[in-house]
Amino acid sequence: MTYLAVPIAVKTLQEAEEQIQAAVATGAELLELRTDYLVHLSVDLALKVIDAARQFAPGLPIIVTCRDYQQGGTLRHPNGLRTNVLTAAVRAGAEFIDVEYENFISVAIGSKISLALSTGTETRLILSAHNFQTKFKNITKHYWEIANVFSGAIPKLVYSAHHINECFDILDLQHGTMGEMIAFCMDEPGFMTRVLTKKFNGLVSFASIGEKMATAPGQPTVEQLRDLYRWDSINAQTEFYGVIGDPIAHSLSPAVHNACFAERGLNKVYVPLLVAGEQSDFNAFMDNILSRPWLGFKGFSVTIPHKEYAINYVKEKGGVIDPLAERIGAANTIIVNGSQLSAYNTDCIAAIDAITVGLGIDKAGLREMPVAVIGAGGGARAVVAGLADAEAKIKIYNRTVERAKHLAHDFKCDYASLDSLHKLKEKLIVNCTSIGMHPHIDASPVDVKLLQKHIAVFDTVYTPPETLLLKHAREIGCKTISGVDMFLKQAAEQFRLFTGQSPNVETMRGILTHK
Ligand code: NAP
């Protein structure tokens, strides 16, 4: 079993009692009592916190930790006191105590802990190693050093991942040894390891009661792990999907796809994958994933800034490119079928659908319509391809003019620099930049003075559902189309590609509009 563990990291006994009750209410399966947070730490106080856990969380196992300041502890408690707290926890029947491996191998601490554990107790020893800077040099060697230093010890190995491509050591370790351990990466790029550890039967994954209560960077809340990432349904057979992008924290794709997987009773979980960098970083990530089929990744959504990298990658690997994605030159969906990859673009049809429904016209109504497309990235490519197919009169405005020129050349349309937007004459404006997207919601790509009642505005940004651009346009009386409409359609199509089944679009809409 992989416990969903909540750290109780507070300064006083009273706060500990409150937090323990809150942890139980959120569905914690194990409590980590971080006694190093207690301001007036004493053996007596630590025992009172253990008693509180037994009283308010009966039946829940506990890990008692008194983390050394040098290794991520909060207060500078002396080694003698920390050791006494831990040995007292053993005598009090804690299921687990957590001792830093580096300290355990020092005779002064290790001998006292070993002695306490030798007295017929059921307490298990977790020996932990943290690296807050970078990866461990040789994590497998370190794992075995830790595992062999004390019979039955459970190694805990945790490091900060600055890039998602640094996470694979920890996944290899878990898959390679299948031993009992706690292993994950901190920070946002390491997020997937906190979910995947359940597939490999890791002992715990940590989660906080609320977002402000996280004890480590990148730690999710219990609610997120349980409700959003389908914690209870994850097992060795679970298939994984994810959205590759940067930034990615704002994405509603995990909520939408996981809700639909749950509704259809599918053993699939969808996670955010923060892949920073350019083509080479994208390629390295995909190589890392595909060389480890045991991870169980079967498909990806692809967003900013990777849609063009995605199609290049699939081509390079000899995969199948859907003709529409080929024509667009960008892919937002990759399907993994054994060693065979295929790339699709579900944005194009979704965008044209959103526009025609929003304007109350059919595709023929777009013929000769003057349209200003702002942006020239992967999303813009899909929109321009669809509009060009409908024979609209397109002008592309982009910050980087060279990129606009390139896109305009591919689809035989006009282009200009974003600075010349003040000369805009088009009847429909489509924003395909990320300007106005969460968290920068106070920005708009179009000066409000340029908007007039007869112009229709479609913003492909969907977080928030009404961007500042759409708000300005609505106030002026323009017809507006939200990125939510496009998002829903492209996500529904992706779901069909992922599962061969149709999603409940109303479930998707509910998530998008109520977040
Ligand atoms: P991308 O390939 O990275 O392209 C980003 C575009 O935004 C480029 O044209 C870039 O200009 C421009 N841009 C970014 N920051 C800018 C700034 N501060 N000032 C001026 N221009 C800026 O990303 P993408 O995949 O096309 O996505 C772009 C947006 O479309 C995102 O917000 C995404 O959520 C949205 N989208 C929505 C849907 C949907 O279903 N609703 C689908 C696809 C995309 P440069 O070329 O000068 O860098």
Side-chain angles (χ1 to χ4, degrees), residues 116-181:
L117 290 166
S118 67
T119 53
T121 170
E122 303 254 305
T123 304
R124 302 280 313 274
L125 174 66
I126 297 167
L127 286 176
S128 57
H130 294 79
N131 191 332
F132 292 94
Q133 269 74 47
T134 184
K135 315 197 290 178
F136 292 101
K137 278 210 177 75
N138 186 339
I139 198 168
T140 306
K141 185 165 167 256
H142 205 28
Y143 169 83
W144 286 116
E145 279 164 4
I146 296 174
N148 291 332
V149 78
F150 185 87
S151 173
I154 303 166
K156 176 182 179 190
L157 289 138
V158 178
Y159 61 83
S160 290
H162 302 294
H163 193 281
I164 198 164
N165 286 327
E166 293 173 4
C167 290
F168 292 92
D169 284 3
I170 215 115
L171 299 169
D172 287 345
L173 176 72
Q174 288 181 86
H175 175 250
T177 62
M178 283 314 243
E180 208 177 6
M181 73 179 87

Side-chain angles (χ1 to χ4, degrees), residues 38-169:
L38 293 166
V39 175
H40 300 294
L41 179 65
S42 65
V43 168
D44 189 44
L45 180 57
L47 289 174
K48 285 185 175 143
V49 173
I50 294 173
D51 281 349
R54 297 311 189 198
Q55 182 187 345
F56 297 114
L60 249 59
I62 56 171
I63 301 174
V64 177
T65 303
C66 196
R67 182 71 67 237
D68 187 354
Y69 184 76
Q70 309 295 333
Q71 296 200 35
T74 303
L75 300 171
R76 292 176 191 269
H77 300 300
N79 277 347
L81 173 58
R82 293 192 314 97
T83 308
N84 289 341
V85 164
L86 294 167
T87 52
V90 174
R91 287 193 298 277
E95 282 74 12
F96 305 93
I97 57 164
D98 178 331
V99 184
E100 304 78 30
Y101 168 70
E102 288 299 331
N103 287 331
F104 184 79
I105 56 176
S106 89
V107 180
I109 298 175
S111 57
K112 284 188 186 151
I113 301 279
S114 302
L115 185 64
L117 290 166
S118 67
T119 53
T121 170
E122 303 254 305
T123 304
R124 302 280 313 274
L125 174 66
I126 297 167
L127 286 176
S128 57
H130 294 79
N131 191 332
F132 292 94
Q133 269 74 47
T134 184
K135 315 197 290 178
F136 292 101
K137 278 210 177 75
N138 186 339
I139 198 168
T140 306
K141 185 165 167 256
H142 205 28
Y143 169 83
W144 286 116
E145 279 164 4
I146 296 174
N148 291 332
V149 78
F150 185 87
S151 173
I154 303 166
K156 176 182 179 190
L157 289 138
V158 178
Y159 61 83
S160 290
H162 302 294
H163 193 281
I164 198 164
N165 286 327
E166 293 173 4
C167 290
F168 292 92
D169 284 3

